[in-house]
């Protein structure tokens, strides 16, 4: 009977337990033990006791990277890494998550073009010295005894036979291959998923917008992107120059990822993205806009040719349809954002940004010429 009475007072007024003689009801015990209500009915939940079992608080589970079950959401593309165990934490106010990426996009784009302008200035200054150094190197090679089968000489010969555009994108391709190899290291999987895939629900928002531009999980994905980049490298560098091309390419990767962020927040699909497709779409769109009558062909069907202008229209139409209809194999929003940025830059951006770099170059020239002043103040 003692155990039954303890259970009656501790667990509540259940029908299965008989109430001992002389005991009080649960409501009477509650009224006697509760402190006086000094704050009115608004704060009753601090002092009021309930009879019966207390309901456990509901746990708020973090959202997965996409809607639906894991077997459905991660079968959408073979180009992304297997991230079934990766948990993303979308903000309760998704629009606010775009503020930091927006500032990062604007700031990084400005820094990229400013650095490219300074890089071009320094390149022009050193061009004369490089010319004389090249003449001296050729003279030394002519009097130096030649070695048969010199591997270094063959590499130099191959490098010198490349166009300026091909030499420029060689570093980009090497960076992509290096990151692709990092994906094969099991101990780096978490780091790669966090910093080399972009998603507005990830804890790292800004740095993946740039790093994911050099990230490929699938060998076919990387090979296709690098082949297109290599094919258009000579044309785009002839149009923009080496320095301006690098600024456009890096900025395009960040801008296309920001457009992808906006689309993912609007649709509620927070799946991760990676790849250089957005930046390469900018290159392709810029060349097709500048040379719309150029002839293009598909690698496996070289007998079918079409104009660059028609190819650009078809690509934009396909990516627009994919974004509206929710196709999940590619990040169509990033593709569309990159293509629109390439069209805008060739049409307006070159005049607005690159041709107005002279004030920055003058400031840099004065800093290099005058240097830090030594001594006291002005006279």
């Amino acid at each position: 009977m003692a155990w039954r009475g303890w259970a009656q007072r501790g667990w509540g007024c259940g029908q299965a337990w008989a109430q001992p003689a002389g005991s009080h009801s649960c409501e009477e015990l509650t009224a006697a033990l509760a402190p006086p209500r000094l704050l009115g009915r608004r704060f009753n939940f601090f002092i009021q006791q309930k009879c019966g079992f207390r309901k456990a608080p509901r746990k708020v589970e973090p959202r997965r990277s996409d809607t639906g079950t894991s077997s459905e959401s991660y079968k959408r593309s073979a180009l992304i890494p297997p991230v079934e165990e990766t948990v993303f934490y979308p903000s309760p106010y998704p629009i606010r998550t775009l503020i930091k990426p927006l500032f990062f996009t604007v700031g990084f784009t400005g820094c990229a073009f400013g650095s490219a302008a300074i890089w071009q200035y320094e390149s022009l200054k050193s061009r004369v010295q490089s010319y004389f150094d090249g003449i001296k190197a050729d003279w030394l090679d002519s009097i130096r005894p030649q070695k048969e089968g010199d591997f270094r000489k063959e590499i130099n010969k191959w490098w010198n036979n490349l166009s300026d555009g091909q030499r420029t994108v060689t570093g980009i391709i090497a960076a992509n291959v290096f990151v692709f190899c990092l994906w094969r290291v099991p101990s780096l999987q978490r780091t790669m998923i966090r910093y080399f895939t972009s998603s507005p629900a990830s804890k790292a928002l800004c740095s993946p917008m740039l790093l994911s531009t050099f990230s490929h999980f699938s060998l076919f994905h990387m090979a296709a992107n690098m082949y297109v980049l290599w094919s258009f490298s000579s044309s785009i560098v002839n149009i923009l120059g080496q320095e301006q091309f690098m600024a456009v390419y890096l900025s395009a990767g960040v801008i296309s990822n920001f457009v992808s962020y906006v689309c993912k927040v609007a649709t509620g699909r927070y799946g991760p993205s990676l790849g250089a497709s957005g930046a390469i779409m900018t290159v392709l769109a810029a060349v097709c806009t500048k040379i719309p009558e150029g002839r293009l062909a598909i690698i496996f069907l070289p007998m079918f040719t079409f104009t660059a202008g028609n190819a650009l229209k078809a690509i934009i139409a396909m990516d627009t349809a994919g974004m509206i209809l929710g196709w999940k194999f590619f990040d169509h929003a990033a593709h569309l954002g990159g293509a629109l940025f390439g069209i805008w830059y060739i049409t307006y951006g070159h005049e607005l940004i690159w041709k107005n770099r002279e004030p920055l170059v003058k400031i840099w020239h004065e800093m290099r010429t005058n240097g830090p002043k030594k001594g006291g103040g002005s006279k």
Side-chain angles (χ1 to χ4, degrees):
M1 291 297 293
W3 182 83
R4 291 176 62 187
W6 173 83
Q8 174 72 25
R9 290 192 299 271
W11 287 0
C13 304
Q15 296 295 332
W17 306 104
Q19 186 175 0
S23 62
H24 299 280
S25 64
C26 189
E27 289 79 4
E28 293 174 350
L29 291 174
T30 301
L33 296 176
R37 293 185 290 177
L38 302 177
L39 301 179
R41 293 181 60 84
R42 183 178 179 183
F43 297 96
N44 282 351
F45 63 92
F46 286 113
I47 59 177
Q48 193 173 15
Q49 298 181 10
K50 292 185 178 180
C51 297
F53 291 99
R54 182 173 297 176
K55 185 177 181 180
R58 184 179 180 181
K59 295 182 180 181
V60 179
E61 296 183 357
R63 182 173 180 172
R64 292 287 173 178
S65 63
D66 208 340
T67 57
T69 61
S70 60
S71 61
E72 295 174 353
S73 60
Y74 294 102
K75 287 182 179 179
R76 63 187 182 278
S77 176
L79 306 181
I80 63 173
V83 292
E84 290 87 349
E85 300 301 326
T86 304
V87 178
F88 297 94
Y89 297 85
S91 170
Y93 306 99
I95 299 299
R96 296 182 182 179
T97 61
L98 298 176
I99 296 178
K100 286 178 63 178
L102 175 61
F103 281 102
F104 177 78
T105 301
V106 175
F108 180 84
T109 301
C111 292
F113 280 96
S115 301
I118 296 174
W119 179 17
Q120 186 186 60
Y121 168 81
E122 295 294 337
S123 298
L124 292 175
K125 283 187 62 176
S126 61
R127 184 168 297 176
V128 176
Q129 183 64 35
S130 299
Y131 174 76
F132 287 109
D133 291 343
I135 295 177
K136 182 179 179 181
D138 292 340
W139 179 75
L140 290 176
D141 288 340
S142 62
I143 63 175
R144 184 180 300 164
Q146 302 295 322
K147 296 181 180 180
E148 295 294 335
D150 190 357
F151 179 74
R152 183 177 179 182
K153 183 178 179 181
E154 294 297 325
I155 294 296
N156 291 334
K157 183 179 179 180
W158 169 81
W159 179 260
N160 293 329
N161 289 333
L162 297 177
S163 65
D164 292 339
Q166 291 172 338
R167 285 196 292 266
T168 303
V169 302
T170 299
I172 298 176
I173 296 174
N176 281 268
V177 173
F178 177 72
V179 175
F180 174 79
C181 295
L182 293 181
W183 275 109
R184 270 55 200 168
V185 181
S187 60
L188 296 178
Q189 289 296 305
R190 289 184 176 271
T191 302
M192 299 299 295
I193 292 173
R194 180 172 183 176
Y195 293 104
F196 287 85
T197 62
S198 61
S199 172
S202 176
K203 290 184 178 180
L205 285 175
C206 297
S207 57
M209 297 175 69
L210 175 64
L211 297 179
S212 64
T213 307
F214 299 89
S215 178
H216 297 83
F217 183 78
S218 168
L219 178 61
F220 175 78
H221 188 199
M222 183 186 68
N225 280 343
M226 295 303 101
Y227 174 79
V228 175
L229 179 62
W230 182 270
S231 301
F232 284 88
S233 60
S234 299
S235 300
I236 191 64
V237 171
N238 289 336
I239 294 171
L240 300 178
Q242 182 182 20
E243 299 84 7
Q244 188 180 186
F245 160 73
M246 288 300 300
V248 170
Y249 183 85
L250 296 177
S251 300
V254 175
I255 291 172
S256 62
N257 271 309
F258 178 74
V259 175
S260 175
Y261 277 13
V262 174
C263 182
K264 289 175 181 178
V265 169
T267 59
R269 301 189 182 105
Y270 292 92
S273 301
L274 73 167
S277 303
I280 293 174
M281 283 297 300
T282 297
V283 173
L284 189 149
V287 174
C288 293
T289 303
K290 190 69 174 180
I291 316 173
E293 300 302 325
R295 306 297 298 183
L296 301 178
I298 303 176
I299 179 174
F300 300 110
L301 301 172
M303 68 289 299
F304 298 103
T305 61
F306 40 85
T307 63
N310 291 335
L312 181 60
K313 294 176 184 177
I315 291 174
I316 292 178
M318 183 186 68
D319 285 323
T320 303
M323 185 178 64
I324 295 175
L325 299 178
W327 298 345
K328 296 180 180 180
F329 191 76
F330 296 110
D331 191 344
H332 295 280
H335 290 189
L336 187 61
L340 294 179
F341 175 67
I343 296 172
W344 175 85
Y345 189 82
I346 290 297
T347 308
Y348 305 105
H350 179 74
E351 297 287 336
L352 294 175
I353 299 177
W354 192 251
K355 289 193 174 181
N356 292 322
R357 70 189 186 280
E358 185 177 355
L360 176 63
V361 175
K362 285 185 176 180
I363 294 174
W364 180 258
H365 174 74
E366 292 176 359
M367 292 174 59
R368 289 294 306 272
T369 304
N370 300 330
K373 295 183 179 181
K374 300 179 180 180
S378 60
K379 294 181 181 179

